[in-house]
Amino acid sequence: MMERRKFFRIVFRVPATIRQGCISWSSRIFDLSLKGALLEVPIDWKLGNEDDYSIQFQLNESDIYIDMDLKLIKECGKYLRFKIDHIDIDSASHLKRLIELNVGNDVLLHRELAQLTDMKDIL
């Protein structure tokens, strides 16, 4: 089977908070990429919708939080697949560094960053 993903995913298991308006849910991140995130379906989750979501999580052993605005792409059993819709510059820098440390390949990381900026031109 041909791999369709354009962005390298890293396994990153940390607690996260999903928010939509004034509602929030406790969840857990399973993996991250420069383009999206896979999270655990919260216990009190109702079917998702097309409205914007935001997530926040803390980097391990630090006081750094990453905040992202997301679109729900798919609910799949016990997983929620999100696409990053917006991320502030500080959070983007931290996410880039996190992926850089886990990818271990500078060439691959720069290729993914180039794809990400090319995709923004299309959208």
Side-chain angles (χ1 to χ4, degrees):
M1 177 182 233
M2 189 172 85
E3 180 67 48
R4 294 182 341 163
R5 290 184 185 135
K6 292 184 179 182
F7 296 94
F8 187 83
R9 292 174 175 260
I10 62 165
V11 174
F12 192 72
R13 305 255 163 92
V14 294
T17 301
I18 303 171
R19 288 190 179 87
Q20 187 178 55
C22 60
I23 303 169
S24 66
W25 301 269
S26 293
S27 183
R28 189 161 187 80
I29 293 177
F30 283 102
D31 69 37
L32 291 168
S33 76
L34 290 174
K35 196 63 181 168
L38 180 69
L39 280 81
E40 176 181 54
V41 173
I43 294 170
D44 54 346
W45 181 259
K46 306 290 186 239
L47 281 180
N49 56 49
E50 294 180 7
D51 293 344
D52 291 337
Y53 291 86
S54 65
I55 65 166
Q56 182 183 64
F57 61 94
Q58 186 174 6
L59 296 181
N60 293 331
E61 300 176 13
S62 79
D63 59 348
I64 297 170
Y65 285 87
I66 294 180
D67 294 294
M68 299 184 271
D69 294 331
L70 308 157
K71 293 282 186 188
L72 181 61
I73 301 300
K74 186 175 184 182
E75 294 182 47
C76 191
K78 61 181 182 174
Y79 304 106
L80 300 172
R81 297 183 190 280
F82 287 98
K83 175 182 156 192
I84 298 173
D85 191 43
H86 178 265
I87 184 168
D88 66 77
I89 192 71
D90 290 333
S91 291
S93 295
H94 293 305
L95 180 61
K96 175 189 169 280
R97 181 68 178 142
L98 177 66
I99 291 174
E100 183 177 48
L101 291 171
N102 285 275
V103 169
N105 182 333
D106 230 17
V107 173
L108 177 61
L109 179 67
H110 289 291
R111 186 193 78 203
E112 290 193 7
L113 288 170
Q115 287 177 346
L116 186 63
T117 56
D118 288 346
M119 291 177 74
K120 290 197 179 286
D121 293 338
I122 294 169
L123 299 175

